[in-house]
Coordinates of all heavy atoms in Angstrom, one line a residue:
D1 N -14.1 0.8 10.5 CA -14.7 1.9 11.2 C -13.6 2.6 12.1 O -13.9 3.6 12.7 CB -15.8 1.4 12.2 CG -17.0 0.9 11.4 OD1 -17.2 1.4 10.3 OD2 -17.6 -0.1 11.9
E2 N -12.4 2.2 11.9 CA -11.3 2.8 12.7 C -10.4 3.7 11.9 O -9.4 4.2 12.4 CB -10.4 1.7 13.3 CG -11.2 0.8 14.3 CD -10.4 -0.4 14.8 OE1 -9.1 -0.3 14.9 OE2 -11.0 -1.4 15.2
G3 N -10.7 3.9 10.7 CA -9.9 4.8 9.8 C -8.8 4.1 9.1 O -8.8 2.8 9.1
P4 N -8.0 4.8 8.4 CA -6.9 4.2 7.6 C -6.0 3.3 8.4 O -5.7 3.6 9.5 CB -6.1 5.4 7.0 CG -7.1 6.5 7.0 CD -8.0 6.3 8.2
V5 N -5.5 2.2 7.8 CA -4.7 1.2 8.4 C -3.3 1.2 7.7 O -3.3 1.2 6.5 CB -5.3 -0.2 8.4 CG1 -4.4 -1.2 9.0 CG2 -6.7 -0.2 9.0
L6 N -2.3 1.3 8.5 CA -0.9 1.3 7.9 C -0.6 0.0 7.3 O -1.0 -1.1 7.8 CB 0.1 1.6 9.0 CG 0.1 3.0 9.6 CD1 1.0 3.1 10.8 CD2 0.4 4.1 8.6
I7 N 0.2 0.0 6.2 CA 0.6 -1.2 5.5 C 1.4 -2.1 6.5 O 1.2 -3.3 6.6 CB 1.5 -0.9 4.3 CG1 0.7 -0.2 3.3 CG2 2.1 -2.2 3.7 CD1 1.5 0.3 2.1
A8 N 2.3 -1.5 7.3 CA 3.1 -2.2 8.3 C 2.3 -3.0 9.3 O 2.6 -4.1 9.6 CB 4.1 -1.3 9.0
E9 N 1.1 -2.4 9.7 CA 0.2 -3.1 10.6 C -0.4 -4.3 10.0 O -0.4 -5.4 10.6 CB -0.9 -2.2 11.1 CG -1.9 -2.8 12.0 CD -3.0 -1.9 12.4 OE1 -2.8 -0.6 12.4 OE2 -4.1 -2.4 12.8
I10 N -0.9 -4.2 8.7 CA -1.5 -5.3 8.0 C -0.4 -6.4 7.8 O -0.7 -7.6 8.1 CB -2.0 -4.9 6.7 CG1 -3.1 -3.8 6.8 CG2 -2.6 -6.1 5.9 CD1 -3.5 -3.1 5.5
S11 N 0.8 -6.0 7.4 CA 1.9 -6.9 7.2 C 2.2 -7.8 8.4 O 2.3 -9.0 8.3 CB 3.1 -6.2 6.7 OG 4.2 -7.0 6.6
K12 N 2.3 -7.1 9.5 CA 2.6 -7.7 10.8 C 1.5 -8.6 11.3 O 1.7 -9.8 11.6 CB 3.0 -6.7 11.8 CG 3.4 -7.3 13.1 CD 3.8 -6.2 14.1 CE 4.2 -6.8 15.5 NZ 4.5 -5.8 16.5
K13 N 0.3 -8.1 11.3 CA -0.8 -8.9 11.9 C -1.2 -10.1 11.0 O -1.6 -11.1 11.5 CB -2.1 -8.0 12.0 CG -1.9 -6.9 13.0 CD -1.9 -7.4 14.4 CE -1.9 -6.2 15.4 NZ -1.9 -6.6 16.8
K14 N -1.0 -9.9 9.7 CA -1.4 -11.0 8.8 C -0.3 -11.8 8.2 O -0.4 -12.7 7.4 CB -2.3 -10.5 7.6 CG -3.6 -9.9 8.1 CD -4.3 -11.0 8.9 CE -5.8 -10.9 9.0 NZ -6.3 -12.1 9.8
K15 N 1.0 -11.5 8.7 CA 2.2 -12.2 8.3 C 2.3 -12.2 6.7 O 2.5 -13.3 6.1 CB 2.2 -13.6 8.9 CG 2.3 -13.6 10.4 CD 2.3 -15.0 11.0 CE 2.4 -15.0 12.4 NZ 1.4 -14.3 13.2
I16 N 2.2 -11.0 6.1 CA 2.4 -10.9 4.7 C 3.6 -10.1 4.5 O 3.8 -9.0 5.1 CB 1.2 -10.1 4.1 CG1 -0.2 -10.9 4.4 CG2 1.3 -10.0 2.6 CD1 -1.4 -10.1 4.0
P17 N 4.5 -10.5 3.6 CA 5.8 -9.8 3.3 C 5.4 -8.3 2.9 O 4.6 -8.2 2.0 CB 6.5 -10.6 2.2 CG 5.9 -11.9 2.4 CD 4.5 -11.8 2.9
L18 N 6.1 -7.4 3.5 CA 5.7 -6.0 3.3 C 5.8 -5.5 1.8 O 4.8 -4.9 1.3 CB 6.6 -5.1 4.2 CG 6.3 -3.6 4.2 CD1 5.0 -3.3 4.7 CD2 7.4 -2.8 4.9
K19 N 6.9 -5.8 1.1 CA 7.0 -5.4 -0.3 C 5.9 -6.0 -1.1 O 5.4 -5.4 -2.0 CB 8.4 -5.8 -0.8 CG 9.5 -4.9 -0.3 CD 9.3 -3.5 -0.9 CE 10.4 -2.6 -0.5 NZ 10.2 -1.2 -0.8
F20 N 5.6 -7.3 -0.9 CA 4.6 -8.0 -1.6 C 3.2 -7.3 -1.4 O 2.4 -7.1 -2.3 CB 4.6 -9.5 -1.2 CG 3.9 -10.4 -2.2 CD1 3.7 -10.1 -3.5 CD2 3.6 -11.7 -1.8 CE1 3.1 -10.9 -4.4 CE2 3.0 -12.6 -2.7 CZ 2.8 -12.2 -4.0
L21 N 3.0 -7.0 -0.1 CA 1.7 -6.4 0.3 C 1.6 -5.0 -0.3 O 0.5 -4.6 -0.8 CB 1.6 -6.3 1.8 CG 0.3 -5.7 2.4 CD1 -0.9 -6.4 1.9 CD2 0.4 -5.6 3.9
E22 N 2.6 -4.2 -0.4 CA 2.6 -2.9 -1.0 C 2.1 -3.0 -2.4 O 1.2 -2.2 -2.9 CB 4.0 -2.3 -1.0 CG 4.4 -1.8 0.3 CD 5.8 -1.2 0.4 OE1 6.6 -1.4 -0.6 OE2 6.2 -0.7 1.4
N23 N 2.6 -4.0 -3.2 CA 2.1 -4.1 -4.6 C 0.7 -4.6 -4.7 O -0.1 -4.1 -5.5 CB 3.0 -5.1 -5.3 CG 4.4 -4.6 -5.5 OD1 4.6 -3.4 -5.7 ND2 5.4 -5.5 -5.5
I24 N 0.3 -5.5 -3.8 CA -1.1 -5.9 -3.8 C -2.1 -4.8 -3.5 O -3.1 -4.6 -4.2 CB -1.3 -7.1 -2.8 CG1 -0.5 -8.3 -3.3 CG2 -2.8 -7.4 -2.5 CD1 -0.4 -9.4 -2.2
L25 N -1.8 -4.0 -2.5 CA -2.7 -2.9 -2.1 C -2.7 -1.8 -3.2 O -3.8 -1.2 -3.4 CB -2.2 -2.3 -0.7 CG -2.3 -3.3 0.5 CD1 -1.8 -2.6 1.7 CD2 -3.7 -3.8 0.6
L26 N -1.6 -1.6 -3.8 CA -1.6 -0.7 -4.9 C -2.5 -1.1 -6.1 O -3.3 -0.3 -6.6 CB -0.1 -0.5 -5.5 CG 0.0 0.6 -6.5 CD1 -0.3 2.0 -6.0 CD2 1.5 0.6 -7.0
E27 N -2.5 -2.4 -6.4 CA -3.4 -2.9 -7.4 C -4.8 -2.8 -7.0 O -5.7 -2.4 -7.8 CB -3.1 -4.4 -7.7 CG -1.9 -4.6 -8.6 CD -1.8 -6.1 -9.0 OE1 -2.8 -6.7 -9.5 OE2 -0.7 -6.7 -8.8
L28 N -5.1 -3.0 -5.7 CA -6.5 -2.9 -5.2 C -6.9 -1.5 -5.3 O -8.1 -1.2 -5.5 CB -6.6 -3.5 -3.8 CG -6.4 -5.0 -3.8 CD1 -6.3 -5.5 -2.3 CD2 -7.6 -5.7 -4.4
R29 N -6.0 -0.6 -5.0 CA -6.3 0.9 -5.1 C -6.6 1.3 -6.5 O -7.6 2.0 -6.8 CB -5.2 1.7 -4.5 CG -5.6 3.1 -4.3 CD -4.5 3.9 -3.6 NE -4.2 5.1 -4.4 CZ -3.1 5.4 -5.0 NH1 -2.0 4.6 -4.8 NH2 -2.9 6.4 -5.8
K30 N -5.8 0.8 -7.5 CA -6.0 1.2 -8.9 C -7.3 0.6 -9.4 O -7.9 1.1 -10.3 CB -4.8 0.6 -9.7 CG -3.5 1.4 -9.6 CD -2.4 0.8 -10.4 CE -1.1 1.6 -10.2 NZ 0.0 1.0 -11.0
G31 N -7.7 -0.6 -8.8 CA -8.9 -1.2 -9.2 C -10.2 -0.6 -8.6 O -11.3 -1.1 -8.8
G32 N -10.0 0.4 -7.7 CA -11.1 1.1 -7.1 C -11.7 0.5 -5.9 O -12.7 0.9 -5.3
V33 N -11.0 -0.6 -5.4 CA -11.5 -1.3 -4.2 C -11.1 -0.5 -2.9 O -11.8 -0.3 -2.0 CB -11.0 -2.7 -4.1 CG1 -11.4 -3.4 -2.8 CG2 -11.6 -3.5 -5.3
L34 N -9.8 -0.1 -2.9 CA -9.2 0.6 -1.8 C -8.9 2.0 -2.2 O -8.8 2.4 -3.3 CB -7.9 -0.1 -1.3 CG -8.1 -1.5 -0.8 CD1 -6.7 -2.1 -0.4 CD2 -9.1 -1.6 0.4
D35 N -8.7 2.8 -1.1 CA -8.1 4.2 -1.3 C -7.1 4.3 -0.2 O -6.9 3.5 0.7 CB -9.2 5.2 -1.1 CG -8.9 6.5 -1.8 OD1 -7.7 6.7 -2.3 OD2 -9.8 7.4 -2.0
S36 N -6.3 5.4 -0.3 CA -5.2 5.6 0.7 C -5.1 7.1 1.0 O -5.5 7.9 0.3 CB -3.9 5.1 0.2 OG -3.5 5.8 -1.0
K37 N -4.5 7.3 2.2 CA -4.3 8.6 2.7 C -2.8 8.7 3.1 O -2.4 7.8 3.8 CB -5.2 8.9 3.8 CG -5.1 10.3 4.4 CD -6.0 10.5 5.6 CE -5.7 11.8 6.3 NZ -6.4 11.9 7.6
K38 N -2.1 9.7 2.7 CA -0.7 9.9 3.0 C -0.6 10.7 4.3 O -1.5 11.5 4.7 CB 0.0 10.6 1.9 CG 0.1 9.7 0.7 CD 1.0 10.4 -0.4 CE 1.0 9.5 -1.6 NZ 1.9 10.1 -2.7

């Protein structure tokens, strides 16, 4: 309910390596689960 969340925030808060997370989120976007805003 707070709007789009930056990858860096997710990475930091959940202790997920940034580059790894970028690939995961991209797959989830391609799969129709997530969307993104630039």
